[in-house]
Amino acid sequence: MTPQSTNPWSDDALLRALEQAELPSLLVALCQLTGDTSLIDPALRPDIVPSAGAIPPQGGMTAEQQLKAREISFCALRRYRDNGFSVAAEPDQELLQRLMSFIAAEADDTYLPLLSHELNIPEGVSDPDWNLAELAPGRQFRVAVIGAGMSGVAAAFRLKQAGVDFVVFEKNPSVGGTWYENSYPGCRLDTHNFAYSYSFAQKRDWPYHYSQRDDIFGYFSSVAEKKGLLDSIRFETTVLSAAYRATDSLWALRYRTADGEVLEYFNAVISAVGQLNNPMIPDFVGANKFTGEAWHTAAWRHDVDLKGKRVAVIGAGASAFQVIPAIASEVDHLTVFQRNAPWMYPTPNYLEAIPLELSWLFDVIPFYARWFRFFQFWTAVEGRRRFVTVDPEWSKAGSVSAQNEHMRKNLTSYLEEQFAERPDLLTKVIPTYPPGAKRLLRDDGTWARTLKRPNVALETEAIAEFYEHGIRTADGVEHEVDVIIYGTGFTASDFLSSVSVTGVAGRDLHEYWADDARAYLGISIPGFPNLFCLYGPNTNLVVNGSIVLFSELAVNYVLDAISGLLRRDEAAIDCRQDIYDAYNRQIDEGNGLMAWGASEVSSWYKNKFGRVSQNWPFPLIDYWSATSSVDREAYDSVPLRVEREA
Ligand code: NAP
């Protein structure tokens, strides 16, 4: 190494780093850093064509644009270095809008507040603008949050900011929820990592584009620690029931600790129990006859060595899709029991680490990681929706519109390339349902390499039953195995199933829902005043945006609801039945027009009635608008100290 190359700020080193740079967001960051608006020359604006597959490299910038972008970025970096690393003043609103529109050119003005929230510029833009001590001095208001996963941590953070007294109840010994529980080999994000993080706790040093489980889990743990939330979390404490007492509008929470059961009262309850926390183990005939080991991906048995064993994995969804390649080389033989094949986005960098030079740039260029996160967020926002929206006139099987058919063709070609020399496998790996009807996965070629291994078999015959030594399929074949791994997913539509919840006049939540959970905005349910759900019914996202954003928006909405109560001297708010019903009709109509609602294929997006109870069907901006403030007309008010009939 030459002495010069040891200086990361030397001209040579800068040029090398720029080879690895993500350019659209770099130009914007450098413009903010230096105040030089020539960096966001419209001629360099990436024409981000939402594609059926992955986002094209550099957002689709041409080679010429990239060359020019590197040239002017190099000059800007040198100026920044030579001027003693001085940073321009915070951008005014006009400049901020120009910066955002460089990346999100097609966003109209309605998106700007959402984009500003995602960027967290100005710093703290979505912080509560109120504080309990000032807003309602002397008022006691305690909130119980159930769960310290991704949503619960976000709720705790905002409640703390607003000075609201709260307790988080967490059944596990740690925060992280699903990222704590799922530790199967190969577990990692399959959505882009930067966008899968809180706007209020952005991280510059993600090691991978799609980080591994330990990094994500570590992130949530460190947010909880750094934001001072740990003292407010009661770990290894399981909430058993929540009952609303109308006489004083308090919720009685019964929970179990190591020392026994406790009853405690709160003014509001926030459910942050998640959707993917209860493993689903199908009721296979003869399951109890199997004499080997069997476990679910979400409860990985790290004590069992798979080396040299014959293993069956049931399922080919997101979890199995990650486990299978991770264990294939270790086991003696692996049989994959696949009912439906997954569609997958070709994603060449899916397993790649972020290059060191790019990590360095994220570290030393102020705002760069933030704008890169924003770029990742934006490119996944509304663009892909069009590919999975139903055209009612479309009648071709296996797709729901011309655009969906186009997507199907692209994704099929990818599979055809990968399995060209294995026609026996190709017929099994091409899904029969429309892309977007089930979750799309990500692949860099690993799936095909794994299924083509000599010690791996892809079995598509239905499972008839388990027997003593393995699995018998419907064709009568016996598959002898030592271990069975259930990659069979979660009982996602059984919302809040682990807690008994009673509302006004003894209304039982689970009876009221009757296995068909709904909530106004995914948050409120009539007859359950001051019970708020995060990542509740119909708030899961399939192709647009990030669920972290949705949880943040729901949290902000709940904070707005609480501040409204305090301002008006109310005890509680209770969602109106007619509003709830009308809202859910819209949701159902919306989902009927999306691939996941129109298709009859099985998926965790639907409940046992076939109703899509998980997914949000509309553009992201609609949820932003609907949750940006509480529409008081949607709620009945419960006054303070006025008795209600219980
Ligand atoms: P899943 O997507 O629901 O997949 C379950 C799999 O088990 C499917 O292949 C399903 O087949 C199969 N299955 C279920 N019951 C069966 C039965 N009785 N017989 C045979 N096969 C059966 O569950 P998952 O893979 O755990 O993923 C759930 C969700 O968790 C994902 O969609 C994602 O949102 C999240 N997740 C995220 C990540 C990530 O970001 N890294 C990783 C893992 C999971 P069918 O398709 O035929 O129903």
Side-chain angles (χ1 to χ4, degrees):
M1 219 182 232
T2 62
Q4 196 185 24
S5 69
T6 59
N7 172 11
W9 281 98
S10 71
D11 285 1
D12 279 356
L14 288 179
L15 285 168
R16 273 197 305 279
L18 282 170
E19 284 306 309
Q20 300 293 337
E22 296 283 345
L23 296 168
S25 43
L26 180 66
L27 292 172
V28 178
L30 289 174
C31 175
Q32 181 178 353
L33 183 64
T34 61
D36 175 2
T37 52
S38 70
L39 284 152
I40 51 167
D41 179 354
L44 294 178
R45 184 152 54 206
D47 182 18
I48 307 170
V49 184
S51 99
I55 301 304
Q58 306 293 5
M61 273 178 143
T62 63
E64 209 177 313
Q65 284 176 314
Q66 291 183 38
L67 195 69
K68 180 75 183 156
R70 287 204 172 85
E71 230 174 79
I72 60 176
S73 298
F74 179 57
C75 296
L77 283 171
R78 285 175 54 168
R79 277 201 309 279
Y80 175 57
R81 175 194 67 193
D82 298 342
N83 290 340
F85 304 104
S86 67
V87 177
E90 181 146 312
D92 58 20
Q93 198 56 26
E94 195 223 320
L95 178 57
L96 184 59
Q97 290 191 9
R98 284 181 65 191
L99 294 172
M100 291 194 285
S101 11
F102 184 77
I103 285 174
E106 60 278 40
D108 61 37
D109 287 357
T110 52
Y111 277 87
L112 295 177
L114 163 62
L115 300 185
S116 179
H117 161 90
E118 263 311 275
L119 273 169
N120 198 26
I121 296 179
E123 191 75 37
V125 62
S126 294
D127 289 355
D129 59 359
W130 59 278
N131 181 286
L132 187 135
E134 286 164 15
L135 192 63
R139 173 108 183 242
Q140 294 284 317
F141 198 89
R142 296 189 76 216
V143 178
V145 180
I146 310 176
M150 179 272 287
S151 302
V153 167
F157 171 66
R158 293 296 188 202
L159 288 165
K160 186 175 162 107
Q161 279 191 317
V164 176
D165 189 12
F166 69 94
V167 179
V168 182
F169 296 94
E170 171 53 59
K171 68 181 188 319
N172 292 325
S174 166
V175 303
T178 192
W179 291 105
Y180 168 77
E181 288 166 11
N182 283 270
S183 63
Y184 57 79
C187 183
R188 69 189 311 131
L189 266 178
D190 60 11
T191 51
H192 200 279
N193 201 156
F194 276 78
Y196 192 88
S197 62
Y198 301 120
S199 65
F200 59 79
Q202 301 192 20
K203 178 175 155 76
R204 293 190 302 229
D205 57 348
W206 289 110
Y208 290 91
H209 294 284
Y210 302 86
S211 289
Q212 304 186 50
R213 177 265 178 196
D214 286 357
D215 294 314
I216 316 291
F217 169 62
Y219 168 74
F220 289 117
S221 306
S222 85
V223 172
E225 191 194 333
K226 287 186 189 151
K227 302 291 183 194
L229 308 175
L230 292 177
D231 287 347
S232 307
I233 305 175
R234 297 197 200 150
F235 291 106
E236 298 184 89
T237 303
T238 304
V239 174
L240 304 171
S241 65
Y244 180 71
R245 193 169 66 183
T247 48
D248 51 11
S249 307
L250 290 181
W251 281 91
L253 238 72
R254 185 175 295 282
Y255 54 88
R256 189 175 50 232
T257 70
D259 300 325
E261 287 187 15
V262 181
L263 192 67
E264 201 173 331
Y265 290 87
F266 294 87
N267 301 80
V269 176
I270 298 178
S271 160
V273 297
Q275 295 191 10
L276 300 170
N277 58 339
N278 285 322
M280 193 277 278
I281 298 195
D283 199 7
F284 288 115
V285 174
N288 56 358
K289 289 190 193 151
F290 179 61
T291 53
E293 302 282 3
W295 65 82
H296 190 277
T297 48
W300 195 262
R301 287 280 304 275
H302 292 279
D303 59 320
V304 182
D305 187 0
L306 290 179
K307 205 163 170 212
K309 295 215 165 56
R310 295 163 304 170
V311 178
V313 175
I314 304 177
S319 303
F321 189 79
Q322 294 181 331
V323 163
I324 289 162
I327 61 172
S329 60
E330 179 189 345
V331 301
D332 171 58
H333 189 269
L334 180 60
T335 310
V336 177
F337 288 88
Q338 173 194 281
R339 206 164 52 177
N340 277 288
W343 284 114
M344 55 198 91
Y345 292 119
T347 310
N349 68 356
Y350 177 41
L351 303 178
E352 279 173 19
I354 292 182
L356 284 179
E357 293 84 355
L358 181 56
S359 292
W360 179 77
L361 287 170
F362 285 147
D363 190 32
V364 300
I365 312 291
F367 320 119
Y368 184 21
R370 202 183 287 222
W371 282 105
F372 179 62
R373 177 182 181 281
F374 178 76
F375 176 72
Q376 291 299 338
F377 164 75
W378 177 253
T379 50
V381 174
E382 314 293 22
R384 288 198 205 121
R385 280 190 84 248
R386 72 183 72 170
F387 291 100
V388 294
T389 302
V390 172
D391 171 359
E393 306 293 311
W394 190 259
S395 57
K396 196 160 185 234
S399 54
V400 295
S401 68
Q403 299 225 37
N404 190 247
E405 178 65 17
H406 169 69
M407 183 175 190
R408 180 184 184 89
K409 283 195 174 131
N410 279 350
L411 301 182
T412 304
S413 317
Y414 176 71
L415 291 168
E416 284 166 348
E417 250 169 60
Q418 305 271 315
F419 289 92
E421 78 288 16
R422 289 291 303 271
D424 59 316
L425 284 175
L426 184 61
T427 52
K428 295 179 175 179
V429 295
I430 298 180
T432 50
Y433 57 87
K438 292 165 82 76
R439 185 179 165 95
L440 282 121
L441 309 180
R442 289 196 181 272
D443 179 57
D444 65 348
T446 300
W447 185 240
R449 273 194 299 279
T450 306
L451 294 187
K452 287 189 261 183
R453 287 178 64 94
N455 71 332
V456 175
L458 178 60
E459 180 56 66
T460 51
E461 196 64 40
I463 295 174
E465 59 180 340
F466 286 15
Y467 70 103
E468 209 180 349
H469 302 298
I471 293 176
R472 192 174 290 118
T473 39
D475 53 6
V477 174
E478 291 189 341
H479 304 264
E480 200 168 307
V481 291
D482 307 304
V483 173
I484 295 175
I485 295 165
Y486 293 95
T488 44
F490 301 85
T491 54
S493 52
D494 295 346
F495 284 90
L496 254 166
S497 60
S498 56
V499 186
S500 152
V501 184
T502 320
V504 172
R507 175 178 282 186
D508 179 282
L509 179 65
H510 297 295
E511 277 174 21
Y512 175 68
W513 272 342
D515 295 331
D516 190 6
R518 295 151 192 258
Y520 172 59
L521 301 176
I523 299 173
S524 304
I525 306 134
F528 298 87
N530 284 6
L531 170 68
F532 304 106
C533 300
L534 306 178
Y535 195 29
N538 294 108
T539 58
N540 182 60
L541 293 166
V542 183
V543 289
N544 53 325
S546 111
I547 56 165
V548 180
L549 168 67
F550 259 43
S551 284
E552 277 195 49
L553 298 186
V555 167
N556 292 354
Y557 181 90
V558 174
L559 267 280
D560 191 46
I562 294 174
S563 78
L565 291 175
L566 299 172
R567 280 198 178 91
R568 292 181 177 78
D569 247 355
E570 292 166 327
I573 54 170
D574 189 357
C575 182
R576 279 172 40 192
Q577 185 74 45
D578 55 336
I579 297 283
Y580 171 91
D581 291 338
Y583 172 83
N584 280 292
R585 275 195 298 276
Q586 278 177 15
I587 287 284
D588 290 348
E589 278 166 27
N591 273 321
L593 288 172
M594 303 309 289
W596 53 82
S599 163
E600 308 231 309
V601 72
S602 60
S603 80
W604 66 269
Y605 301 152
K606 297 172 186 163
N607 62 23
K608 68 180 192 191
F609 305 108
R611 176 177 170 267
V612 178
S613 52
Q614 314 302 116
N615 295 345
W616 173 254
F618 303 118
L620 205 63
I621 190 70
D622 292 4
Y623 197 67
W624 166 269
S625 309
T627 55
S628 57
S629 64
V630 174
D631 174 8
R632 296 289 309 198
E633 297 298 308
Y635 291 87
D636 291 326
S637 164
V638 182
L640 261 185
R641 288 180 294 276
V642 173
E643 290 199 356
R644 261 171 88 129
E645 196 183 330

